[in-house]
Amino acid sequence: MRDSIFVVNAGSSSIKFQLFSVGDDDGLERRLKGQMDGIGSRPRLVAKGEDGKTLVDRTWQAGEVSGVPAALDKVVEFLREVSGGRLPSAVGHRVVHGGPDYSSPVAIDADVLRRLEQLTPLAPLHQPNNLAPIRMLLDRQPRLLQVACFDTAFHRGHPELADRYAIPEDLYREGVRRYGFHGLSYEYVAERLRHVAPDLASKKVIVAHLGSGASMCALDAGRSVESTMGFTALDGLPMGTRPGQLDPGVVLYLMSEKRMSAEAISELLYQKSGLKGLSGISNDVRELLASSDPRARLALDYFTYRIGLLAGMLAAAMQGLDGLVFTAGVGENAPAVREAVARRLAWLGLDLDPAANAAGKGCISRPRSRIACYVIPTDEELMIARHTLRVLRGRAGLHMKESAA
């Protein structure tokens, strides 16, 4: 019977999941893809099979699915229905922060879970929700292999200069350093570039992961050398509800002059800032693009201004730029945002093809453009499945060696 990999990407109000079967050559075939969203408000489970047909579309009352563990119960119940009660061979999880210790995917046990829980202050919006399904499955199915795949891992090979802050050495050794995030997305795009544009894959490329969370990464020959995000997922580009780059003096001002608590400041920076704070309307780029309110225009202009500004920083880090790739929800689906960014980078030689940009697939720059520009859809769940399979195969090989000994 074939092995299967179940992938879980848990957020605060949703759980994205996919099921992959493993072929004889360890190729991965997507069998189903789904999401439980509206957790705590309007819970809805939707999943589609490999042929695109809907396998389930169920809703519940808010009280019936009040949190991530309850939502995962519903997802597992559905999975058992479609798989005849058979458990997957392994479960792969997206975990936003791996801290200084984890530079590659790792099999999870109680000790690993405890260490990851200690990183919650560095990613309070994500880490607790990433870990909730892990904790539940570890309690109920302790023999089931679970693998943590980290958004920070892809950036762990940065030069020390790129990861340092100008603070005392003891803080750096404690782990106060620049990490970078969205690494699973960047790793997938780097791999896809080898197939989509092999010549470009070996050069200097900026990947712009633009979604509700947004960042950019400098890839030199497919390796991350610099990122816009730092110690936490607050840094860099403005996002849906997060401010991006911010003078730390602002936080000191809020504490001393506004008498705001750490909890109130955290809520302001994680939930009330960014595009939502600037516009006073929405954190959704689609709504802002459709609005005639000048505050919506201000938010979008600020967003693309900062993208252009930090793209210059990343180009400087690589001492050159050969390509730009857009990915994630906004990057893949908002031609107007891509066009605005391209205008800000025209001084570097980026010449966008309007028709190709409107279509939003593949290469969207003109042949004469000095900077090649692409739209490449990301697939973090497939990346997680690949990592999980490698850990599964590694453990199987280890058991075989132990048995032979």
Side-chain angles (χ1 to χ4, degrees):
M1 190 173 291
R2 284 187 173 187
D3 285 323
S4 61
I5 305 291
F6 189 54
V7 172
V8 178
N9 186 345
S12 58
S13 62
S14 68
I15 297 178
K16 298 177 184 178
F17 60 89
Q18 295 190 29
L19 180 67
F20 297 84
S21 64
V22 183
D24 295 334
D25 59 351
D26 276 359
L28 290 165
E29 300 175 18
R30 204 182 319 262
R31 293 305 183 192
L32 63 84
K33 178 179 182 179
Q35 180 168 325
M36 167 75 88
D37 57 16
I39 298 171
S41 56
R42 296 180 180 178
R44 182 185 181 191
L45 172 62
V46 177
K48 295 183 178 182
E50 56 192 307
D51 57 1
K53 292 182 179 179
T54 300
L55 299 174
V56 63
D57 190 343
R58 297 178 191 168
T59 58
W60 290 267
Q61 296 298 316
E64 295 179 277
V65 187
S66 57
V68 170
L72 189 63
D73 273 337
K74 301 298 184 185
V75 172
V76 170
E77 181 182 322
F78 159 70
L79 187 64
R80 283 176 174 161
E81 289 176 8
V82 297
S83 64
R86 180 171 175 257
L87 285 173
S89 308
V91 180
H93 299 268
R94 178 194 177 209
V95 178
V96 165
H97 217 304
D101 297 329
Y102 296 108
S103 58
S104 60
V106 62
I108 301 166
D109 57 21
D111 181 61
V112 170
L113 179 59
R114 178 185 57 79
R115 293 167 73 180
L116 295 178
E117 287 172 337
Q118 293 173 350
L119 298 171
T120 294
L122 308 190
L125 199 66
H126 302 89
Q127 200 85 347
N129 299 305
N130 296 159
L131 300 183
I134 295 174
R135 188 180 302 107
M136 191 188 97
L137 289 174
L138 196 62
D139 180 57
R140 297 184 184 180
Q141 298 289 342
R143 294 182 179 274
L144 178 63
L145 173 63
Q146 296 190 77
V147 177
C149 302
F150 304 103
D151 262 342
T152 49
F154 185 62
H155 305 293
R156 296 297 289 119
H158 282 182
E160 185 178 344
L161 282 176
D163 281 352
R164 284 269 189 169
Y165 289 113
I167 56 176
E169 175 75 13
D170 57 340
L171 288 173
Y172 173 75
R173 293 191 179 280
E174 285 178 22
V176 183
R177 62 185 72 181
R178 300 184 70 248
Y179 291 100
F181 297 88
H182 294 133
L184 292 163
S185 175
Y186 294 130
E187 186 177 10
Y188 177 80
V189 170
E191 287 195 6
R192 284 295 301 153
L193 262 178
R194 298 192 194 111
H195 303 281
V196 173
D199 290 342
L200 185 60
S202 62
K203 297 179 180 178
K204 303 176 189 297
V205 178
I206 292 173
V207 182
H209 177 107
L210 307 180
S212 179
S215 70
M216 293 191 296
C217 175
L219 294 178
D220 194 346
R223 293 181 63 254
S224 171
V225 296
E226 182 59 272
S227 172
T228 56
M229 280 184 170
F231 181 55
T232 70
L234 285 171
D235 200 7
L237 297 176
M239 294 163 251
T241 60
R242 286 170 267 169
Q245 191 175 51
L246 186 73
D247 184 337
V250 173
V251 177
L252 297 177
Y253 172 82
L254 296 175
M255 292 170 61
S256 63
E257 302 301 319
K258 295 295 185 180
R259 304 298 180 189
M260 290 177 68
S261 66
E263 292 76 14
I265 293 172
S266 179
E267 183 181 7
L268 172 69
L269 298 182
Y270 277 101
Q271 300 175 19
K272 296 181 178 180
S273 298
L275 300 181
K276 183 178 181 179
L278 270 174
S279 70
I281 298 170
S282 174
N283 63 310
D284 192 319
V285 167
R286 292 168 296 187
E287 292 184 31
L288 297 178
L289 286 169
S291 175
S292 59
D293 192 311
R295 296 175 301 166
R297 173 50 51 193
L298 169 65
L300 291 170
D301 285 347
Y302 183 81
F303 184 50
T304 56
Y305 168 70
R306 300 300 297 186
I307 292 171
L309 200 66
L310 293 184
M313 177 194 80
L314 295 179
M318 294 187 288
Q319 296 290 284
L321 182 61
D322 301 300
L324 173 68
V325 175
F326 290 100
T327 194
V330 176
E332 295 170 25
N333 299 298
V337 170
R338 295 195 298 263
E339 181 184 1
V341 171
R343 284 200 303 269
R344 296 189 181 278
L345 297 181
W347 66 276
L348 282 170
L350 177 54
D351 188 358
L352 206 66
D353 182 327
N357 182 48
K361 294 181 181 179
C363 183
I364 60 172
S365 54
R366 298 184 193 271
R368 67 184 181 224
S369 179
R370 195 179 72 77
I371 304 297
C373 189
Y374 283 80
V375 176
I376 298 180
T378 192
D379 196 334
E380 293 165 302
E381 284 77 18
L382 178 57
M383 204 71 243
I384 293 169
R386 288 173 179 169
H387 284 310
T388 302
L389 180 59
R390 291 188 191 108
V391 175
L392 177 66
R393 291 293 182 253
R395 287 169 68 92
L398 179 62
H399 291 324
M400 287 178 65
K401 287 181 181 178
E402 290 176 346
S403 298

